[in-house]
Amino acid sequence: MSRVITVAVAGQPNSGKSTMFNAITGAAARVGNYPGITVERLEGTYRFNNHHIKLIDLPGTYSLTSYSPEEIVARNVIIDERPDVVINMVDASSLERSLYLAIQLLEMGVPTVIGLNMMDEVRRKGIRIDSQKLSEALGAPVVECVARIGVGKHQLMEAAVQLSERSKGTWKPLVFSYGHDLDPVISEMVKKIEASRFMTDRYPARWIAVKYLEDDESIIKQGDEAGPLSQELKAMVQEVRRHTDKTLHTYPEALIADYRYGFINSILRRGILTRTQDLRLDASDQIDRVVTHRVMGPVLMLMVLWLMFYITFHLGSYPQSLMEKGFGLLGSAIGYLVRPGMLQSLLVKGVVDGVGAVLSFTPLILIMFAMLVFLEDLGYMARIAYMLDRVFRVFGLHGASAMPFIMSGGIPGGCAVPGVMCSRTLRSPRERLATIFTAPFMVCGAKTTAYIILTAAFFPNYPSLVMLFLVILAWAVALVTARLLRWTVIKGPSTPFVMELPPYRLPTFRGVAIHTWDRVRQFVTKAGTLIFGISVIMWALMTFPQLPAETAGRFDQEIQRIKEQVETSDRGEKTADEASQQELQARLQELEARRNEAALRHSIAGRIGSGLEPISRLAGFPWQVNIALIGAFAAKEVFVSTMATAYSMNETAPEENFSLSQRLASDPAYTLPVILSLFVFILFYAPCMATLITIVRESSWSWALFVLLGSIGFAYALSVCVYQAGTLLLG
Amino acid sequence: MVMPLRKMKVNQRGRIMAVNANGELGRRIRDMGLVPGTDVMIVGRAPLRDPVAIRLKGFTMTLRNSEADYIMVETEN
């Protein structure tokens, strides 16, 4: 049995790198994240003839500079984990640009196998590539592939094994000329670097010199720590920079890129690449004439978004309600098996209700994500970003922010959990954080339940108008907030939009399935455990401390007394008429409701709610609303049921019974300013815990905390303004 | 005639003369292969006239008008 060979798979975005990785490793890939950033790390294995190959999927990058986390990760894996071989998947239909990454890998010196992908497209377009000559020119094995159907995967593995046996761990950096302006200074720098062994244990000397000339932040920072030579190198770079600026009006890093492309071109011209027509429009460009047309484009986009939305939330509602019913059944089963008391309450009201409320989102995430991955792999997401960028840029966002907003409830009824998740398609860090902060402002399905009750109570004649107003308000405030954030907390120039419009390619089922499954699994496991904890805490807040024995006893005695009356009248003759029977039942229910209200008010949550009343009064909220808002953090649907408890109502299904609405409508405490203030607060005050945990996963704990506190503060300020202004104006 | 990429019309072709952006924008532009000597053609513009889609080196990419300002192109007549 030979030793394990480690192979890293690199490639530019849309090169078919992941498709080939999936083809080689099958379904056995393990998905994880690179520490600290939300870049997926996939690992898998391949075996043949006693060779055991471990594969690592590197993030897709156009280059190996240090501008994005993806690039730094790709570079560090190669440097730190020193894979035996790197396979570089290359889109052969745009060979010149695709080799830009390959050249940089070869400059590092890591043994590299080039996988020429999309060879079917290449042949169809009539392009001829001499892969034998290319291999000789680059000094690296070249394998022709069609990743979609798995062509070339075994040959790639064979080439990797042979190369690792030939190179035996030694790296031989590719050297070519960077022109007479840079070559002399490079050799001088290399001499100095080698003489003082400056970081040469990690990197090839020439590579370090080139990175200094490229002004690579990450390498220069490491160099500053490594020794005084760093200052000297920087001075040399400064010198040559002045020189190139004066004589050529350009910078060393631009020259380096020019010479890399020049080198690639000089190779390709040696009869390797023929019959190419670089500027001839693709079929995809022809499709785009319609798909991104001035009028047709937006119309088609609206239809796609609407369809996606419709499928997610209408198709998803069946398994979702099934899961809700399942959890309901589980709750009743526990209620039946476990004696009434603390444990039963904890299990049913805390664990099952809390975790169930969140896990019921799983089908939505599954469907939504499958479609999202499909659109992404198809190439349509890039077109959405292309069409909407002009609008979103005004607010400091990116064209790709549209999807998270819409999914979160930009069309009412969405859900911020999948919404925040699909912010992952945003490659610009600042725009991404702003999107994550503001997407939960949208009118999600759970908020809608609260608005149905409140609208029925206060604006019974204008339900659709109120909803429309809320949606417009949500969009306006989200966009303006994003703008404010981008001016303050996440200040900075907009990340360059420069991106590829990849050719439309039908996604593989396997690729979509792997990514979707991965996302769902992460949501269920990671979120499941945290939500379990928070649910228990929320339950405890609303349960403890319990009513003092005396008060509880009084309620119990009263309830017992009425129950006895009911029983006696039951047993009694026909004289006990129906009316008195019903009256007793009603009193019994009212008493239980009052007991629940007293218990809730006595609990920690109740005390917080009452304690916050002096503050919340500024926004017009009574203590009942405070408790309901606290409860609604667990899941926004809880707002209605907690309000019902706080107003001594029996728990009612919001769609069927509008008694809570009637109760609120008749309450003189709810003046128009209070109502408007409440509407605003519910819309913006805090993401629910499921969303918050998703935010933690998609960004960081500190950003999630900032989102939580920031949006509470923001919503409060807004509500106070609305209430105070309303009171002033309306007297 | 030399003009910034922004000024070019749909279907017009040209050859890049200079890229005057540095920093992250300059690097992203160069990484995509927009270097002097490259032939480009305007494929189209987004519904709101911005960003612009261009074809070069056998693929299609897009960038904002404000980013296209940094790219000088010599156009055919």
Side-chain angles (χ1 to χ4, degrees):
Chain A
M1 177 94 195
S2 65
R3 70 194 177 92
V4 176
I5 299 169
T6 313
V7 174
V9 185
Q12 295 187 332
N14 311 307
S15 63
K17 170 183 70 74
S18 296
T19 313
M20 183 50 94
F21 182 86
N22 291 336
I24 293 171
T25 58
R30 277 192 302 123
V31 190
N33 273 3
Y34 287 102
I37 50 166
T38 50
V39 178
E40 282 177 356
R41 179 184 171 120
L42 280 90
E43 284 181 21
T45 53
Y46 187 81
R47 287 164 201 267
F48 74 97
N49 296 350
N50 279 345
H51 296 294
H52 184 186
I53 299 160
K54 183 184 145 201
L55 290 114
I56 307 166
D57 189 24
L58 298 179
T61 60
Y62 288 105
S63 172
L64 284 179
T65 54
S66 61
Y67 267 109
S68 71
E70 287 87 359
E71 290 179 339
I72 296 177
V73 162
R75 208 161 79 179
N76 287 351
V77 169
I78 295 170
I79 296 288
D80 297 330
E81 302 184 23
R82 266 188 100 88
D84 297 291
V85 175
V86 170
I87 290 178
N88 180 197
M89 291 309 291
V90 158
D91 179 350
S93 66
S94 54
L95 190 60
E96 188 187 340
R97 191 207 71 212
S98 303
L99 284 178
Y100 192 67
L101 178 69
I103 290 297
Q104 292 179 65
L105 289 166
L106 292 167
E107 278 185 274
M108 282 174 91
V110 58
T112 303
V113 176
I114 309 283
L116 277 187
N117 197 17
M118 324 273 181
M119 282 309 285
D120 51 343
E121 277 182 36
V122 166
R123 290 191 194 104
R124 217 172 22 243
K125 285 183 186 169
I127 303 171
R128 304 255 311 258
I129 298 174
D130 189 331
S131 52
Q132 185 59 39
K133 274 191 189 165
L134 180 65
S135 169
E136 284 160 16
L138 292 174
V142 174
V143 179
E144 296 188 5
C145 311
V146 184
R148 277 181 54 81
I149 47 173
V151 170
K153 64 175 182 180
H154 187 71
Q155 289 86 330
L156 272 177
M157 293 291 92
E158 275 180 338
V161 170
Q162 282 168 16
L163 185 60
S164 85
E165 280 165 358
R166 229 178 318 139
S167 62
K168 295 196 179 70
T170 50
W171 288 21
K172 244 189 278 154
L174 170 76
V175 175
F176 57 88
S177 166
Y178 279 116
H180 60 263
D181 290 288
L182 297 184
D183 276 345
V185 70
I186 291 176
S187 357
E188 212 177 312
M189 287 166 86
V190 167
K191 261 183 225 148
K192 292 191 182 205
I193 290 167
E194 277 171 349
S196 52
R197 302 205 176 160
F198 181 73
M199 298 200 287
T200 45
D201 53 330
R202 261 171 83 80
Y203 312 107
R206 186 180 160 86
W207 192 80
I208 298 173
V210 171
K211 285 292 146 188
Y212 264 82
L213 282 166
E214 279 188 299
D215 201 15
D216 187 293
E217 279 171 40
S218 146
I219 292 296
I220 292 176
K221 195 162 153 254
Q222 286 174 42
D224 285 345
E225 285 159 17
L229 184 59
S230 184
Q231 299 306 325
E232 209 176 319
L233 294 176
K234 276 194 274 189
M236 292 167 82
V237 171
Q238 203 54 44
E239 178 62 36
V240 75
R241 185 181 299 269
R242 259 198 300 277
H243 171 71
T244 55
D245 188 27
K246 207 163 63 190
T247 58
L248 304 165
H249 304 290
T250 185
Y251 329 93
E253 67 233 62
L255 273 178
I256 288 171
D258 291 355
Y259 273 92
R260 279 196 189 124
Y261 273 111
F263 178 67
I264 294 168
N265 263 318
S266 72
I267 289 178
L268 295 183
R269 269 201 297 266
R270 286 180 221 158
I272 290 172
L273 184 64
T274 38
R275 283 210 236 157
T276 127
Q277 282 179 295
D278 284 350
L279 298 188
R280 202 179 67 187
L281 293 186
D282 257 354
S284 294
D285 296 314
Q286 308 291 359
I287 294 171
D288 273 343
R289 296 254 142 128
V290 178
V291 170
T292 65
H293 180 266
R294 285 192 76 174
V295 182
M296 308 268 271
V299 170
L300 198 72
M301 179 169 60
L302 278 176
M303 277 163 60
V304 168
L305 292 175
W306 176 255
L307 193 71
M308 222 181 134
F309 198 79
Y310 186 86
I311 293 174
T312 305
F313 292 99
H314 286 253
L315 206 71
S317 70
Y318 297 105
Q320 192 187 15
S321 67
L322 220 75
M323 282 191 76
E324 274 165 5
K325 280 201 191 105
F327 278 106
L329 273 175
L330 184 65
S332 336
I334 292 172
Y336 182 72
L337 291 171
V338 182
R339 266 183 296 117
M342 247 336 94
L343 185 64
Q344 192 203 62
S345 169
L346 168 67
L347 289 176
V348 176
K349 291 201 168 155
V351 179
V352 175
D353 282 2
V355 175
V358 174
L359 286 188
S360 313
F361 288 125
T362 316
L364 291 192
I365 291 172
L366 189 101
I367 297 170
M368 195 274 319
F369 223 79
M371 284 192 292
L372 206 69
V373 173
F374 181 85
L375 285 185
E376 171 89 21
D377 289 0
L378 181 70
Y380 190 65
M381 290 297 273
R383 270 74 184 184
I384 292 183
Y386 169 66
M387 284 189 277
L388 286 176
D389 183 68
R390 189 68 196 87
V391 180
F392 280 81
R393 192 198 322 159
V394 176
F395 301 98
L397 297 169
H398 186 278
S401 304
M403 207 36 127
F405 273 64
I406 290 159
M407 269 293 141
S408 296
I411 306 171
C415 173
V417 173
V420 169
M421 274 185 179
C422 65
S423 73
R424 205 175 259 221
T425 52
L426 264 163
R427 279 190 162 224
S428 333
R430 289 182 290 267
E431 284 84 344
R432 210 174 104 93
L433 288 180
T435 306
I436 289 176
F437 191 108
T438 48
F441 284 175
M442 294 294 158
V443 190
C444 74
K447 283 181 197 171
T448 317
T449 61
Y451 284 128
I452 287 172
I453 294 290
L454 294 173
T455 311
F458 305 119
F459 308 103
N461 299 324
Y462 309 103
S464 9
L465 208 65
V466 170
M467 266 333 254
L468 182 69
F469 171 75
L470 283 168
V471 172
I472 294 169
L473 183 72
W475 274 95
V477 172
L479 289 174
V480 170
T481 310
R483 184 66 266 181
L484 292 175
L485 283 170
R486 293 282 283 109
W487 272 330
T488 53
V489 189
I490 19 181
K491 199 157 46 180
S494 59
T495 315
F497 182 70
V498 182
M499 68 173 194
E500 195 179 348
L501 286 175
Y504 290 107
R505 286 179 181 132
L506 203 62
T508 59
F509 175 76
R510 180 183 261 169
V512 174
I514 286 176
H515 282 271
T516 308
W517 168 240
D518 164 45
R519 195 55 53 89
V520 171
R521 192 182 49 83
Q522 285 184 358
F523 176 74
V524 171
T525 51
K526 282 250 171 74
T529 44
L530 268 164
I531 286 159
F532 175 82
I534 298 177
S535 303
V536 170
I537 293 170
M538 290 303 297
W539 169 82
L541 284 178
M542 292 171 75
T543 311
F544 296 107
Q546 294 186 286
L547 284 175
E550 201 188 319
T551 326
R554 251 189 283 126
F555 276 114
D556 285 344
Q557 275 170 18
E558 188 77 353
I559 288 170
Q560 197 55 39
R561 204 170 54 78
I562 295 174
K563 272 190 180 159
E564 275 162 21
Q565 279 184 20
V566 173
E567 273 170 33
T568 42
S569 68
D570 252 2
R571 261 184 272 118
E573 305 80 49
K574 299 258 184 239
T575 49
D577 56 306
E578 295 274 298
S580 72
Q581 178 80 11
Q582 272 179 1
E583 193 194 331
L584 282 174
Q585 285 292 352
R587 275 189 56 204
L588 191 64
Q589 281 185 2
E590 191 207 318
L591 212 58
E592 277 174 351
R594 274 197 13 235
R595 182 200 155 114
N596 288 342
E597 180 205 341
L600 182 59
R601 190 164 193 182
H602 192 75
S603 70
I604 300 175
R607 288 170 200 209
I608 295 174
S610 312
L612 285 175
E613 216 173 347
I615 304 171
S616 71
R617 273 292 169 202
L618 286 176
F621 304 154
W623 67 270
Q624 290 94 334
V625 169
N626 293 352
I627 300 186
L629 288 170
I630 294 170
F633 170 65
K636 301 266 154 136
E637 295 93 332
V638 176
F639 181 82
V640 173
S641 59
T642 317
M643 280 289 271
T645 313
Y647 277 103
S648 297
M649 314 282 301
N650 289 299
E651 286 187 24
T652 50
E655 301 84 5
E656 297 158 13
N657 200 323
F658 281 98
S659 53
L660 177 64
S661 299
Q662 285 159 15
R663 169 76 181 76
L664 294 178
S666 61
D667 192 330
Y670 289 93
T671 59
L672 189 62
V674 177
I675 297 155
L676 294 180
S677 162
L678 184 59
F679 269 64
V680 166
F681 197 78
I682 291 176
L683 199 53
F684 303 124
Y685 85 102
C688 68
M689 72 174 170
T691 307
L692 198 69
I693 283 157
T694 314
I695 293 176
V696 172
R697 284 200 39 71
E698 296 298 323
S699 57
S700 63
W701 273 103
S702 52
W703 187 252
L705 199 69
F706 177 71
V707 170
L708 179 66
L709 299 178
S711 49
I712 292 174
F714 175 71
Y716 177 70
L718 221 56
S719 287
V720 170
C721 289
V722 167
Y723 177 67
Q724 298 296 346
T727 321
L728 262 175
L729 289 174
L730 302 170
Chain B
M1 183 178 151
V2 178
M3 58 166 88
L5 187 71
R6 180 208 277 260
K7 295 261 161 65
M8 287 174 72
K9 295 189 182 64
V10 172
N11 288 331
Q12 196 175 10
R13 295 171 180 226
R15 176 167 292 176
I16 296 176
M17 302 307 290
V19 177
N20 297 318
N22 54 0
E24 180 175 7
L25 177 61
R27 193 162 301 184
R28 288 213 187 195
I29 287 175
R30 289 192 296 271
D31 284 353
M32 296 296 280
L34 286 162
V35 293
T38 306
D39 291 330
V40 294
M41 184 177 96
I42 305 291
V43 176
R45 289 179 196 275
L48 293 168
R49 291 272 160 270
D50 184 18
V52 54
I54 60 177
R55 180 116 189 128
L56 70 154
K57 296 189 198 296
F59 72 103
T60 309
M61 60 164 286
T62 166
L63 74 175
R64 291 173 179 158
N65 280 341
S66 57
E67 295 159 353
D69 277 337
Y70 293 100
I71 300 166
M72 298 307 291
V73 183
E74 172 155 44
T75 55
E76 303 163 351
N77 293 318

